[in-house]
Amino acid sequence: MTDATQSPPAPADTGADTPADADAQRLAALGYQSEFKRDMSLWANFSLGFTYLSPVVGVYTLFAASLAAGGPPMFWAFVIAGVGQLLVALVFSEVVAEFPVAGGVYPWARRLWGRKWGWMTGWIYLLALLSTISAVAYGAGPYVAAVFGFTSSTTTTILCALALLALATLINFGGTKVLSTVAVFGFVAEIVGAVVVGAWLLIANRHQGLGVLFHGFGSQGTHSYLYAFAAASLIGVFQYYGFEACGDVAEEVPNPGRRIPTSMRRTIYIGGAAALAVCLALILSVSDFGAVISGKDADPVTTVLTDAFGTGGARAVLVIVLLSFISCAMSLQAAASRLTYSFARDRMIVGSRVLAAFSERLRVPPYALLLAAVVPGLIIVGSTYSADALVKIISFSTLGIYVAFQMVVLASLRARLRGWRPSGEYRLERWGYPVTIGALVYGVVSLVNICWPRTPGTPWYDNYIVLVSGVVVVGVGAVYMAVAKPHERGDAPAGDALAAPELGPEVEPEPEVAAEGEVEAEAEADSDSGSAPASA
């Protein structure tokens, strides 16, 4: 049953920015009036997704654990996950082009399937995002200690994580322009750092040949190597999300139906290439894989950087790493706050009146931002009570993100089977079914791998903590939905994808393979506002 206004055909793009009133009219036809300013350029939108995905954060956070679990072949996890998540990004590109509404996966699932499905998708994704913020902040702790020269411990890691969280929150309170500026700065710093550091490691500190990428060095122990690789592949699974953040801020981007799909794909292309380069440079610079696998060298990243740059140089490199962690946490908070605001605007969550409040002076939802700081802070403090806290926080975060992603992918497949014909500027056309099914298969396999218990020596609830926490989140959400019926509140559109009119023949769709052809036109539009486009 649908209960919504119909989605209008997407306006044709002429190579320049869609006028603000046209964006506002399109959003109004989708059932909303935005309070955000459309101050985010194509370059800044891509930078937001890139800093959320953050190759440096993804690689540096789990490099030691993954190398110890699977040896150098864990490198190939980036390739596998990159292809799988590219399929997901293509599905999302098609959906956001038709429904460019703030909040990302929640409104997409709501429009594709209905109120209940949309609510549960938003609930799972929100909690996973809040957990991911805590994982990024927690993962920065040891690097803060290395930069400032004190011994890293559980207590110092927690304190450093809370400090980083506070800084990211202050940046977000600066509004869209400040967020955009810092995101672009974070992107440039991360790319420059990755290129310079990676090149120096390969030129001056390379200890291994490419052949090690096919050698496990006994990391599998008594298990098969497939078991070891599956455990190590969490680094690739964790790396490739963040592209959806480009759509979370859809109401802050001019001409979102065309620009956001472009930003999403570039995030995968450029972010994935950077992650592969960073990981490869680090692997080939490790002198003793046996020491890493045995646990004798528990921090191979610091070991490699110190050997290559000396103590002072390593600290300088770690400053760039910390900038990457800060910009990543900032981008995650921005995504979480926009999702919370979108949820609350539709009256779908407890405290909706407060969480939907919008500051006209700051041009941000302040209480939604505070929620995106307080909850991750509590998770960080609570991590004291779990062994291998970082890996488990990351595992749950990844589980929740992947579940929410697959709920959107499944909703897209269901809608397509029921006759949905996407009408946005970006359409997969004849590739719609194979891309969507491929994305779904990849996601299900990844979810099984994420949930697999791998710490048999711990109590059962700790060994199964990822699966248990996922079941608890879904269970609590289901109970709340059954008792409080939040999905029945408000009159926001839902399930209207099947009611969307077909795109008229006068509007030429943007085929996937030619999507980057808009670069030159976008470059001209962005240069008018002082921004530079990302190269495809």
Side-chain angles (χ1 to χ4, degrees):
M1 173 180 172
T2 61
D3 84 87
T5 57
Q6 292 187 344
S7 301
D13 184 65
T14 60
D17 287 349
T18 302
D21 57 346
D23 287 337
Q25 289 170 10
R26 185 176 186 187
L27 188 62
L30 290 169
Y32 296 100
Q33 180 177 353
S34 181
E35 297 180 272
F36 292 99
K37 284 187 176 180
R38 294 190 183 272
D39 288 336
M40 187 170 287
S41 67
L42 172 69
W43 177 251
N45 186 242
F46 156 72
S47 296
L48 181 72
F50 181 92
T51 53
Y52 176 164
L53 180 142
S54 189
V56 169
V57 172
V59 174
Y60 279 48
T61 299
L62 285 177
F63 182 80
S66 292
L67 188 60
M74 62 86 167
F75 170 83
W76 301 109
F78 286 98
V79 178
I80 296 170
V83 173
Q85 285 295 76
L86 175 60
L87 298 179
V88 176
L90 294 177
V91 174
F92 283 13
S93 294
E94 187 173 54
V95 178
V96 73
E98 183 157 342
F99 302 110
V101 180
V105 299
Y106 155 63
W108 301 341
R110 182 184 176 96
R111 309 303 282 256
L112 288 168
W113 194 310
R115 291 172 176 267
K116 290 182 179 180
W117 193 259
W119 188 92
M120 185 59 76
T121 302
W123 166 257
I124 294 170
Y125 183 63
L126 176 59
L127 294 184
L129 264 184
L130 297 175
S131 178
T132 304
I133 295 170
S134 67
V136 170
Y138 192 97
Y143 297 110
V144 176
V147 167
F148 292 99
F150 57 84
T151 303
S152 179
S153 66
T154 300
T155 300
T156 61
T157 296
I158 289 174
L159 292 176
C160 292
L162 293 176
L164 185 144
L165 193 58
L167 178 58
T169 305
L170 287 175
I171 293 172
N172 266 297
F173 268 106
T176 303
K177 281 191 174 181
V178 173
L179 174 66
S180 299
T181 301
V182 177
V184 171
F185 175 78
F187 162 69
V188 173
E190 188 160 350
I191 282 292
V192 171
V195 170
V196 172
V197 173
W200 180 256
L201 290 178
L202 292 175
I203 293 171
N205 198 61
R206 178 173 171 176
H207 296 289
Q208 310 290 345
L210 292 175
V212 300
L213 299 179
F214 303 94
H215 197 308
F217 289 89
S219 56
Q220 69 271 26
T222 59
H223 299 283
S224 69
Y225 185 73
L226 179 61
Y227 180 90
F229 181 79
S233 67
L234 180 61
I235 192 171
V237 174
F238 178 61
Q239 179 66 74
Y240 286 99
Y241 58 86
F243 57 88
E244 79 283 2
C246 301
D248 289 333
V249 294
E251 294 175 28
E252 298 164 69
V253 180
N255 194 6
R258 181 172 294 276
R259 289 187 168 190
I260 292 174
T262 299
S263 295
M264 283 184 175
R265 299 192 304 281
R266 288 182 187 172
T267 297
I268 294 288
Y269 302 152
I270 300 175
L276 284 166
V278 170
C279 186
L280 180 63
L282 287 173
I283 288 174
L284 299 185
S285 299
V286 173
S287 59
D288 187 352
F289 292 118
V292 177
I293 293 169
S294 68
K296 183 178 179 181
D297 183 2
D299 188 4
V301 172
T302 301
T303 301
V304 166
L305 295 180
T306 302
D307 289 346
F309 298 97
T311 303
R315 285 188 179 181
V317 173
L318 291 177
V319 168
I320 297 176
V321 173
L322 282 180
L323 289 175
S324 299
F325 273 92
I326 292 169
S327 58
C328 181
M330 172 203 71
S331 298
L332 281 162
Q333 272 195 326
S337 64
R338 271 51 169 189
L339 171 61
T340 302
Y341 170 78
S342 179
F343 229 25
R345 179 172 63 178
D346 291 348
R347 292 188 285 172
M348 296 289 106
I349 193 172
V350 172
S352 289
R353 182 173 298 180
V354 174
L355 295 173
F358 195 89
S359 170
E360 294 296 331
R361 181 175 65 86
L362 300 173
R363 308 303 298 181
V364 296
Y367 300 108
L369 264 176
L370 285 176
L371 182 73
V374 172
V375 174
L378 293 175
I379 294 173
I380 290 168
V381 173
S383 66
T384 308
Y385 303 100
S386 177
D388 299 321
L390 179 60
V391 173
K392 286 170 182 174
I393 292 174
I394 289 173
S395 296
F396 167 70
S397 303
T398 309
L399 173 69
I401 296 287
Y402 269 62
V403 168
F405 279 14
Q406 294 312 304
M407 291 181 75
V408 175
V409 172
L410 181 60
S412 175
L413 179 60
R414 173 183 179 270
R416 196 181 294 275
L417 288 170
R418 293 189 170 206
W420 173 49
R421 292 192 61 189
S423 58
E425 294 92 332
Y426 181 85
R427 292 184 284 164
L428 293 171
E429 298 290 359
R430 67 182 183 278
W431 292 101
Y433 280 112
V435 167
T436 307
I437 293 171
L440 190 63
V441 170
Y442 163 76
V444 171
V445 171
S446 296
L447 287 171
V448 172
N449 187 31
I450 293 167
C451 292
W452 203 267
R454 294 187 171 95
T455 52
T458 60
W460 71 268
Y461 53 83
D462 206 24
N463 191 24
Y464 287 87
I465 193 169
V466 176
L467 180 60
V468 170
S469 58
V471 171
V472 168
V473 166
V474 174
V476 170
V479 171
Y480 176 64
M481 191 163 58
V483 174
K485 302 187 184 304
H487 56 285
E488 294 183 358
R489 301 172 192 160
D491 56 357
D496 59 321
L498 297 180
E502 295 183 9
L503 194 62
E506 73 280 3
V507 180
E508 191 69 25
E510 179 189 359
E512 192 276 327
V513 294
E516 305 305 331
E518 73 180 72
V519 173
E520 291 80 4
E522 293 290 6
E524 295 176 6
D526 285 329
S527 62
D528 293 339
S529 60
S531 300
S535 59

